[in-house]
Amino acid sequence: FKGTAHYFGQGSGTSANLADGTNPRYLQNQFGFTLGGPIRRDRAFFFVAYDQQVFDQTKQTLGNRIGSAPLRAWLDSANGGALRGDYRDIARTNDAQVALAKLDVRLSDNHQATLKYNFTNASQRNGTFDVDVWGRSANGLERSYSHAVNGALNSTFRRGLTNEFRFQVAREDRPRPYEGPINPATGRPFPDTGVDFAGFRFGQPFFLPVEAYDTRLQLLDNVSLVRGNHLLKFG
């Protein structure tokens, strides 16, 4: 059995300020492991790997990014305060997980099988926009997660005649929901609205929410035949 473990970390304290004098605030922690070995000596083997990142960042760090005091006052007081502080700092995340599990089996001297499972999961809160003069509510949640199972069977029937069979079943979802403030007068999110000469925007971005996904099914088989100096492959 063999394995590894790893950790990587960095944050604002290890980084210099930008040339414009601002000091980005962020913290990243990344960690994971690998492990592999025999299930049955010379017959079956396993391998697993995992990695995760936890990342927090505040990009819009100017406390009053909108220069208009009347606009800030209106945001804080109108609509029952649903947009209170919409012009202040915006914190973002960039969290992710990936995992792999693999099984190799020597069924016989002529047949080798492999089975794998892959998993991914990523989330970025307030990850849809990065514009200094836009409000907190003009952001959404970026998400992506997937599951995939694939396998292969490699067979040698006789000298010069081999067969490879592979399959894959996978599903990937990329939803982008909106979790912003609700207008108490309508019970729905504020619509995408632009105000002020500075181009300040608040409310649900026009392209959200989004539901996107892919489902994939793959079956493949090919035969290889060696005849002297010639290789014939079909499938």
Side-chain angles (χ1 to χ4, degrees), residues 58-138:
T58 303
K59 299 205 67 176
Q60 279 76 7
T61 58
L62 302 178
N64 294 318
R65 293 179 290 111
I66 308 306
S68 171
L71 176 57
R72 296 198 303 269
W74 177 82
L75 289 168
D76 285 340
S77 60
N79 303 293
L83 294 168
R84 188 182 308 277
D86 206 50
Y87 49 86
R88 294 192 179 277
D89 296 357
I90 297 179
R92 288 183 167 86
T93 62
N94 187 13
D95 301 333
Q97 300 169 292
V98 292
L100 164 70
K102 185 172 184 285
L103 177 66
D104 292 289
V105 181
R106 186 170 68 89
L107 301 175
S108 69
D109 290 342
N110 295 332
H111 302 282
Q112 312 284 336
T114 296
L115 185 65
K116 289 189 294 183
Y117 168 71
N118 293 82
F119 167 76
T120 68
N121 181 33
S123 176
Q124 292 182 322
R125 189 168 301 280
N126 292 327
T128 54
F129 276 118
D130 186 12
V131 182
D132 281 335
V133 294
W134 289 19
R136 293 175 178 171
S137 60

Side-chain angles (χ1 to χ4, degrees), residues 65-224:
R65 293 179 290 111
I66 308 306
S68 171
L71 176 57
R72 296 198 303 269
W74 177 82
L75 289 168
D76 285 340
S77 60
N79 303 293
L83 294 168
R84 188 182 308 277
D86 206 50
Y87 49 86
R88 294 192 179 277
D89 296 357
I90 297 179
R92 288 183 167 86
T93 62
N94 187 13
D95 301 333
Q97 300 169 292
V98 292
L100 164 70
K102 185 172 184 285
L103 177 66
D104 292 289
V105 181
R106 186 170 68 89
L107 301 175
S108 69
D109 290 342
N110 295 332
H111 302 282
Q112 312 284 336
T114 296
L115 185 65
K116 289 189 294 183
Y117 168 71
N118 293 82
F119 167 76
T120 68
N121 181 33
S123 176
Q124 292 182 322
R125 189 168 301 280
N126 292 327
T128 54
F129 276 118
D130 186 12
V131 182
D132 281 335
V133 294
W134 289 19
R136 293 175 178 171
S137 60
N139 281 276
L141 176 64
E142 292 269 13
R143 288 220 56 201
S144 175
Y145 51 93
S146 67
H147 303 269
V149 177
N150 59 77
L153 176 64
N154 292 279
S155 302
T156 301
F157 295 111
R158 58 180 174 81
R159 183 179 178 87
L161 179 62
T162 61
N163 185 84
E164 178 193 35
F165 170 76
R166 289 190 285 121
F167 78 91
Q168 178 184 213
V169 180
R171 165 80 179 217
E172 180 184 9
D173 289 81
R174 297 179 302 279
R176 303 171 83 182
Y178 182 72
E179 300 178 348
I182 300 298
N183 187 338
T186 64
R188 298 190 299 270
F190 291 92
D192 185 23
T193 305
V195 293
D196 191 21
F197 291 110
F200 179 72
R201 303 191 75 88
F202 68 87
Q204 180 178 359
F206 64 90
F207 57 85
L208 296 181
V210 174
E211 292 186 9
Y213 64 89
D214 293 311
T215 301
R216 182 177 297 108
L217 174 64
Q218 180 186 36
L219 297 173
L220 179 148
D221 190 83
N222 62 75
V223 177
S224 298

